[in-house]
Amino acid sequence: MKTLIKKKITISDKDNLILLCDKKSKLSDFNLSKQELEYIKKEQKDNKEIIAINQYSRHIFIILPKKEKDPNKHAENCRLIGDILAGKLKDMKSSLIIDVKENQTEAMQIAEGMALSNYTFIKHKAEGNANKLETIYMCKNSNKKNLTELQNIVDAVYLTRDLINEPFSHLTAKDLATAAIKSGKKYGIKTTVFNKKKIESLKMGGLLAVNKGSIDEPTFTIMEWNPSKAKNKNPIVLVGKGIVYDTGGLSLKPTANSMDLMKIDMGGAGTVIGAMQAIASNNLPYHVIGLAPATDNRPSGNAYAPGDVITMHDGTTVEVLNTDAEGRLILADALSFAKKYNPELVIDLATLTGAAVAAIGHYGFVSMHDGAIKDHAKLKEIGDKVHERLAEFPFWSDYDELIKSDIADIKNLGGPYGGAITAGKFLAHFADYPFIHIDLPGVYSKSKYGYRGKGATGMGVRLLYQFIKNKV
Ligand code: BES
Ligand code: MN
Ligand code: ZN
């Protein structure tokens, strides 16, 4: 269910109130009893950030965010307060945030945390315990444009989470493409889907090889947002890995439970689709193209095999030494396809390696870049702001030889160490433009982290949106 963020001018005595305050704020307007006011004072002395007053017909929360010197930490703390509030209000229909201390930035961050926290994925349950919180109202001094923007961002994050949470049984490569078309239609993004025949005619040997073991056809989706007053001359291209399920193929994933989560292997594509929606729904004046190659990766009588040599879209030959290193194969074709746009920058997003997960856990992303120092620095800065952070890995030329093959141009496997980096190096082989590679350990989390929740986090959408919005 959608969480609505709306402006409300009047306050009734049945509204659940969230009062954003500082110690000087006057609370006399809110019909609090003497006892309640005394209690609030006492709690304030103990530096409580959230003070709860439960009245008969409503809840009141007095919020006093602690002062953090680092503005990014402060913003994140406000979002996390929003998460706690959403938890306390999940059985209520609505709540109203009143900005008593007159700090709209904080009020918006709390609303953002609340809205992102309110997400549930219960469509496959007969009696899902959906949160009842339908509407987060913002008080009269809130800026309507900012509310609409936040609503669009939250909707896009929800879309990405829905796509990633959806199991393979309900989301094939075709379904993923259909979801892109649906969003594209709604928000005016020109969306084109290549079918298997078209993919064959384009000689996308990587995507076709991975798809060989599948009973379903691959898709290659192009979403183009090209507003008439675009500020950039050459487009920014976002590429997302769309492996709707990864068994490893004939190099079958070995250990117990290692496949349980592999419905999330289209996390890159899901993030690109959500980011495109956020960009278009908020009418950002930038020419942006999203590419999503998609298939599942399965063993079968016809599956591609370790030792195979395949020819990619750009003519490069690849020795396949492990069919579980499939993401880089489908992405490589999309990256060489992207050359035709003469892009100013290409960012790919992919649940590419277990090595990235092992290195940083589910707390953020791992990034590398080639010829994109400034853009990467900016992306990192934005990541810190939205708390979808990048851990930069080295991309030294020392690693280049690790993907050299004896019998083909390159191989799809690196050495025993630095797996996230050699995967990135494989991709960089197909890029001849400023290039940023993002490995996505953070798109999914088994345990809840604040407003990101449990399961698909939607992480990456806010990062890409704010990066493009602030592009110079
Ligand atoms: N989709 C996986 C990577 C992955 C694993 C993402 C676990 C998230 C959680 C990818 O296709 C893969 O299997 N990578 C292999 C590459 C290896 C065979 C070189 C890996 O990381 O083990
Ligand atoms: Mn794999
Ligand atoms: Zn994979």
Side-chain angles (χ1 to χ4, degrees):
M1 198 189 60
K2 206 168 141 142
T3 305
L4 298 171
I5 305 157
K6 284 188 181 164
K7 186 162 168 157
K8 192 166 188 283
I9 308 292
T10 55
I11 307 173
S12 89
D13 53 10
K14 283 199 182 106
D15 282 325
N16 298 299
L17 299 180
I18 294 165
L19 308 176
L20 176 60
C21 297
D22 54 27
K23 285 188 174 163
K24 286 174 281 172
S25 298
K26 289 205 178 67
L27 296 172
S28 46
D29 288 349
F30 303 103
N31 292 327
L32 292 155
S33 72
K34 214 176 134 204
Q35 260 178 332
E36 286 166 340
L37 286 168
E38 269 165 23
Y39 172 71
I40 292 167
K41 242 196 196 137
K42 188 178 121 285
E43 294 287 279
Q44 278 183 351
K45 272 206 186 113
D46 292 344
N47 291 318
K48 289 269 167 62
E49 284 191 292
I50 301 176
I51 304 167
I53 308 276
N54 287 348
Q55 294 182 336
Y56 178 68
S57 62
R58 64 173 178 185
H59 293 276
I60 299 180
F61 296 98
I62 319 291
I63 306 301
L64 300 109
K66 66 171 180 268
K67 291 203 170 69
E68 292 277 3
K69 267 202 195 127
D70 175 351
N72 294 335
K73 249 188 177 168
H74 190 80
E76 181 63 359
N77 187 44
C78 288
R79 284 182 215 109
L80 289 170
I81 288 174
D83 169 62
I84 295 169
L85 290 170
K88 293 185 188 292
L89 286 161
K90 65 183 184 335
D91 293 324
M92 303 291 135
K93 254 189 104 132
S94 71
S95 72
L96 171 60
I97 300 179
I98 299 180
D99 179 12
V100 188
K101 78 186 267 199
E102 293 183 20
N103 184 326
Q104 264 305 295
T105 312
E106 282 182 9
M108 289 299 285
Q109 285 156 351
I110 292 171
E112 182 178 32
M114 280 184 80
L116 290 172
S117 170
N118 197 40
Y119 173 87
T120 50
F121 184 73
I122 49 159
K123 61 180 278 208
H124 299 296
K125 279 158 121 35
E127 274 174 56
N129 42 342
N131 295 336
K132 294 189 181 69
L133 187 61
E134 274 172 28
T135 316
I136 298 164
Y137 287 109
M138 302 292 284
C139 68
K140 58 178 189 292
N141 57 339
S142 58
N143 175 315
K144 216 145 179 205
K145 244 177 97 183
N146 292 347
L147 293 190
T148 309
E149 181 186 37
L150 179 60
Q151 178 80 65
N152 288 332
I153 292 170
V154 169
D155 290 353
V157 173
Y158 275 34
L159 169 65
T160 295
R161 288 180 181 171
D162 280 346
L163 290 171
I164 297 177
N165 280 326
E166 194 69 276
F168 178 41
S169 53
H170 292 70
L171 192 94
T172 62
K174 263 192 194 153
D175 298 328
L176 187 67
T178 305
I181 289 177
K182 189 175 159 202
S183 166
K185 265 206 185 118
K186 193 161 173 197
Y187 296 102
I189 310 162
K190 187 180 159 215
T191 306
T192 314
V193 178
F194 294 161
N195 62 12
K196 186 173 178 186
K197 239 175 136 186
K198 177 76 182 174
I199 292 165
E200 279 169 346
S201 75
L202 288 167
K203 300 195 164 94
M204 292 187 166
L207 180 54
L208 290 165
V210 178
N211 180 252
K212 270 181 82 181
S214 175
I215 52 170
D216 301 318
E217 294 208 344
T219 56
F220 187 99
T221 301
I222 304 171
M223 299 180 87
E224 180 163 16
W225 172 248
N226 192 6
S228 54
K229 283 183 194 139
K231 286 189 187 172
N232 52 336
K233 219 170 95 223
N234 299 69
I236 300 154
V237 179
L238 308 175
V239 180
K241 170 176 170 181
I243 294 292
V244 284
Y245 195 75
D246 185 12
T247 68
L250 286 176
S251 313
L252 199 63
K253 288 195 176 290
T255 50
N257 307 113
S258 66
M259 259 179 237
D260 300 2
L261 260 183
M262 280 302 120
K263 66 172 184 179
I264 68 152
D265 215 16
M266 36 55 69
T271 307
V272 168
I273 294 169
M276 290 304 295
Q277 176 172 308
I279 290 161
S281 57
N282 281 318
N283 229 325
L284 291 191
Y286 292 92
H287 185 190
V288 188
I289 294 167
L291 303 178
T295 175
D296 55 305
N297 180 28
R298 284 208 273 193
S300 87
N302 196 42
Y304 78 135
D308 281 359
V309 172
I310 60 175
T311 305
M312 309 293 282
H313 175 61
D314 75 342
T316 300
T317 56
V318 173
E319 183 185 10
V320 176
L321 286 177
N322 190 322
T323 62
D324 197 12
E326 83 297 338
R328 64 198 76 181
L329 299 175
I330 71 165
L331 288 167
D333 283 342
L335 290 173
S336 35
F337 183 80
K339 288 179 192 169
K340 74 170 201 164
Y341 297 111
N342 196 15
E344 76 163 58
L345 172 70
V346 176
I347 305 176
D348 89 276
L349 300 105
T351 48
L352 203 60
T353 65
V357 185
I360 69 161
H362 294 292
Y363 298 99
F365 295 155
V366 162
S367 66
M368 285 142 251
H369 65 90
D370 199 358
I373 296 178
K374 271 197 184 152
D375 278 323
H376 184 269
K378 184 82 193 181
L379 195 65
K380 218 165 169 255
E381 181 193 319
I382 300 281
D384 291 341
K385 280 194 175 141
V386 300
H387 207 78
E388 297 185 346
R389 292 178 291 182
L390 299 178
E392 184 179 359
F393 276 19
F395 218 33
W396 303 320
S397 56
D398 307 45
Y399 297 95
D400 290 340
E401 63 181 290
L402 296 174
I403 55 166
K404 283 187 183 148
S405 158
D406 290 338
I407 64 161
D409 297 335
I410 50 174
K411 56 182 175 164
N412 77 334
L413 203 59
Y417 309 119
I421 300 168
T422 45
K425 280 289 176 186
F426 183 93
L427 299 180
H429 175 91
F430 299 88
D432 68 351
Y433 34 65
F435 173 56
I436 298 175
H437 162 57
I438 307 181
D439 206 324
L440 305 174
V443 294
Y444 194 92
S445 177
K446 277 190 190 170
S447 52
K448 175 177 154 74
Y449 165 89
Y451 56 87
R452 278 184 210 147
K454 199 171 155 175
T457 60
M459 205 169 157
V461 173
R462 290 160 58 247
L463 172 71
L464 291 172
Y465 173 78
Q466 293 296 348
F467 172 71
I468 293 193
K469 184 184 167 187
N470 294 290
K471 192 96 179 59
V472 275

mmCIF file of all heavy atoms in Angstrom, residues 12 116 137 162 194 219 248 252 270 275 299 320 351 353 370 388 399 421 452:
data_model
loop_
_atom_site.group_PDB
_atom_site.id
_atom_site.type_symbol
_atom_site.label_atom_id
_atom_site.label_comp_id
_atom_site.label_asym_id
_atom_site.label_seq_id
_atom_site.Cartn_x
_atom_site.Cartn_y
_atom_site.Cartn_z
ATOM 1 N N SER A 12 -7.209 18.994 14.227
ATOM 2 C CA SER A 12 -8.378 18.651 15.049
ATOM 3 C C SER A 12 -7.880 17.962 16.313
ATOM 4 O O SER A 12 -6.726 17.555 16.391
ATOM 5 C CB SER A 12 -9.324 17.739 14.267
ATOM 6 O OG SER A 12 -8.966 16.391 14.474
ATOM 7 N N LEU A 116 9.291 5.895 4.465
ATOM 8 C CA LEU A 116 10.085 4.758 3.995
ATOM 9 C C LEU A 116 9.921 3.566 4.931
ATOM 10 O O LEU A 116 9.935 2.413 4.501
ATOM 11 C CB LEU A 116 11.567 5.149 3.888
ATOM 12 C CG LEU A 116 11.905 6.134 2.767
ATOM 13 C CD1 LEU A 116 13.352 6.597 2.871
ATOM 14 C CD2 LEU A 116 11.645 5.527 1.394
ATOM 15 N N TYR A 137 0.491 13.550 7.433
ATOM 16 C CA TYR A 137 0.179 14.949 7.140
ATOM 17 C C TYR A 137 1.321 15.840 7.595
ATOM 18 O O TYR A 137 1.965 15.574 8.611
ATOM 19 C CB TYR A 137 -1.107 15.370 7.851
ATOM 20 C CG TYR A 137 -2.354 14.775 7.238
ATOM 21 C CD1 TYR A 137 -3.068 13.783 7.906
ATOM 22 C CD2 TYR A 137 -2.812 15.217 5.995
ATOM 23 C CE1 TYR A 137 -4.211 13.227 7.349
ATOM 24 C CE2 TYR A 137 -3.953 14.666 5.429
ATOM 25 C CZ TYR A 137 -4.650 13.679 6.107
ATOM 26 O OH TYR A 137 -5.770 13.142 5.558
ATOM 27 N N ASP A 162 9.348 -3.457 -4.132
ATOM 28 C CA ASP A 162 8.373 -4.458 -4.606
ATOM 29 C C ASP A 162 9.013 -5.381 -5.650
ATOM 30 O O ASP A 162 8.828 -6.597 -5.605
ATOM 31 C CB ASP A 162 7.157 -3.770 -5.246
ATOM 32 C CG ASP A 162 6.160 -3.272 -4.203
ATOM 33 O OD1 ASP A 162 6.267 -3.677 -3.024
ATOM 34 O OD2 ASP A 162 5.279 -2.472 -4.577
ATOM 35 N N PHE A 194 13.371 -5.044 -25.989
ATOM 36 C CA PHE A 194 13.830 -5.957 -27.037
ATOM 37 C C PHE A 194 13.490 -7.380 -26.635
ATOM 38 O O PHE A 194 13.727 -7.771 -25.487
ATOM 39 C CB PHE A 194 15.350 -5.863 -27.222
ATOM 40 C CG PHE A 194 15.846 -4.542 -27.754
ATOM 41 C CD1 PHE A 194 17.189 -4.182 -27.596
ATOM 42 C CD2 PHE A 194 15.005 -3.664 -28.426
ATOM 43 C CE1 PHE A 194 17.662 -2.968 -28.085
ATOM 44 C CE2 PHE A 194 15.471 -2.448 -28.916
ATOM 45 C CZ PHE A 194 16.805 -2.106 -28.740
ATOM 46 N N THR A 219 15.000 -10.454 -21.901
ATOM 47 C CA THR A 219 14.516 -9.143 -22.357
ATOM 48 C C THR A 219 15.651 -8.131 -22.203
ATOM 49 O O THR A 219 16.585 -8.348 -21.435
ATOM 50 C CB THR A 219 13.300 -8.643 -21.540
ATOM 51 O OG1 THR A 219 13.652 -8.621 -20.149
ATOM 52 C CG2 THR A 219 12.083 -9.522 -21.743
ATOM 53 N N GLY A 248 23.288 -20.047 -10.419
ATOM 54 C CA GLY A 248 24.697 -20.309 -10.733
ATOM 55 C C GLY A 248 24.830 -21.009 -12.086
ATOM 56 O O GLY A 248 25.908 -21.082 -12.646
ATOM 57 N N LEU A 252 26.607 -24.711 -10.451
ATOM 58 C CA LEU A 252 25.500 -24.542 -9.500
ATOM 59 C C LEU A 252 25.990 -24.019 -8.153
ATOM 60 O O LEU A 252 27.023 -24.455 -7.657
ATOM 61 C CB LEU A 252 24.844 -25.911 -9.306
ATOM 62 C CG LEU A 252 23.435 -25.954 -8.725
ATOM 63 C CD1 LEU A 252 22.438 -25.268 -9.626
ATOM 64 C CD2 LEU A 252 23.025 -27.413 -8.479
ATOM 65 N N GLY A 270 16.105 -3.378 -10.833
ATOM 66 C CA GLY A 270 15.013 -2.824 -10.011
ATOM 67 C C GLY A 270 15.344 -1.419 -9.539
ATOM 68 O O GLY A 270 14.464 -0.547 -9.489
ATOM 69 N N ALA A 275 14.776 4.427 -10.008
ATOM 70 C CA ALA A 275 15.456 5.725 -10.162
ATOM 71 C C ALA A 275 14.892 6.476 -11.372
ATOM 72 O O ALA A 275 14.659 7.692 -11.304
ATOM 73 C CB ALA A 275 16.958 5.522 -10.314
ATOM 74 N N PRO A 299 20.642 -24.061 -14.863
ATOM 75 C CA PRO A 299 21.214 -25.189 -15.588
ATOM 76 C C PRO A 299 20.106 -25.895 -16.377
ATOM 77 O O PRO A 299 18.946 -25.859 -15.979
ATOM 78 C CB PRO A 299 21.727 -26.097 -14.474
ATOM 79 C CG PRO A 299 20.838 -25.815 -13.300
ATOM 80 C CD PRO A 299 20.346 -24.401 -13.449
ATOM 81 N N VAL A 320 34.275 -18.595 -20.691
ATOM 82 C CA VAL A 320 33.417 -18.701 -19.502
ATOM 83 C C VAL A 320 33.998 -19.777 -18.592
ATOM 84 O O VAL A 320 33.954 -20.959 -18.919
ATOM 85 C CB VAL A 320 31.974 -19.086 -19.899
ATOM 86 C CG1 VAL A 320 31.108 -19.295 -18.653
ATOM 87 C CG2 VAL A 320 31.363 -18.030 -20.811
ATOM 88 N N THR A 351 24.073 -6.582 -8.338
ATOM 89 C CA THR A 351 24.397 -7.507 -7.246
ATOM 90 C C THR A 351 25.417 -8.476 -7.830
ATOM 91 O O THR A 351 25.110 -9.612 -8.142
ATOM 92 C CB THR A 351 23.129 -8.266 -6.809
ATOM 93 O OG1 THR A 351 22.473 -8.759 -7.983
ATOM 94 C CG2 THR A 351 22.184 -7.375 -6.031
ATOM 95 N N THR A 353 28.819 -9.472 -6.889
ATOM 96 C CA THR A 353 29.713 -10.439 -6.247
ATOM 97 C C THR A 353 29.411 -10.670 -4.763
ATOM 98 O O THR A 353 29.051 -9.743 -4.034
ATOM 99 C CB THR A 353 31.201 -9.971 -6.336
ATOM 100 O OG1 THR A 353 31.361 -8.770 -5.584
ATOM 101 C CG2 THR A 353 31.642 -9.778 -7.761
ATOM 102 N N ASP A 370 36.343 4.486 -13.589
ATOM 103 C CA ASP A 370 37.362 4.588 -14.618
ATOM 104 C C ASP A 370 37.097 5.884 -15.380
ATOM 105 O O ASP A 370 36.063 6.005 -16.041
ATOM 106 C CB ASP A 370 37.235 3.354 -15.552
ATOM 107 C CG ASP A 370 38.501 3.124 -16.354
ATOM 108 O OD1 ASP A 370 39.445 3.925 -16.231
ATOM 109 O OD2 ASP A 370 38.527 2.140 -17.118
ATOM 110 N N GLU A 388 23.188 6.418 1.715
ATOM 111 C CA GLU A 388 23.295 5.225 0.867
ATOM 112 C C GLU A 388 24.733 5.274 0.380
ATOM 113 O O GLU A 388 25.018 5.792 -0.697
ATOM 114 C CB GLU A 388 22.272 5.279 -0.271
ATOM 115 C CG GLU A 388 20.863 5.276 0.281
ATOM 116 C CD GLU A 388 19.746 5.213 -0.758
ATOM 117 O OE1 GLU A 388 20.000 5.425 -1.954
ATOM 118 O OE2 GLU A 388 18.602 4.954 -0.353
ATOM 119 N N TYR A 399 45.271 -5.181 -11.618
ATOM 120 C CA TYR A 399 44.270 -6.248 -11.656
ATOM 121 C C TYR A 399 43.941 -6.710 -13.082
ATOM 122 O O TYR A 399 43.308 -7.750 -13.257
ATOM 123 C CB TYR A 399 42.958 -5.787 -10.992
ATOM 124 C CG TYR A 399 43.091 -5.450 -9.520
ATOM 125 C CD1 TYR A 399 43.299 -4.133 -9.109
ATOM 126 C CD2 TYR A 399 43.003 -6.444 -8.548
ATOM 127 C CE1 TYR A 399 43.416 -3.820 -7.759
ATOM 128 C CE2 TYR A 399 43.120 -6.124 -7.198
ATOM 129 C CZ TYR A 399 43.330 -4.812 -6.811
ATOM 130 O OH TYR A 399 43.442 -4.516 -5.485
ATOM 131 N N ILE A 421 36.636 -6.561 -7.421
ATOM 132 C CA ILE A 421 37.419 -5.686 -8.305
ATOM 133 C C ILE A 421 37.601 -6.312 -9.691
ATOM 134 O O ILE A 421 37.408 -5.640 -10.713
ATOM 135 C CB ILE A 421 38.802 -5.380 -7.683
ATOM 136 C CG1 ILE A 421 38.610 -4.679 -6.332
ATOM 137 C CG2 ILE A 421 39.635 -4.524 -8.620
ATOM 138 C CD1 ILE A 421 39.861 -4.588 -5.486
ATOM 139 N N ARG A 452 14.900 1.443 6.426
ATOM 140 C CA ARG A 452 15.118 0.596 5.243
ATOM 141 C C ARG A 452 14.371 -0.713 5.367
ATOM 142 O O ARG A 452 14.118 -1.393 4.376
ATOM 143 C CB ARG A 452 16.601 0.285 5.080
ATOM 144 C CG ARG A 452 17.362 1.366 4.400
ATOM 145 C CD ARG A 452 18.806 0.918 4.211
ATOM 146 N NE ARG A 452 19.688 2.053 4.238
ATOM 147 C CZ ARG A 452 20.929 2.031 4.718
ATOM 148 N NH1 ARG A 452 21.422 0.919 5.232
ATOM 149 N NH2 ARG A 452 21.659 3.110 4.677
#
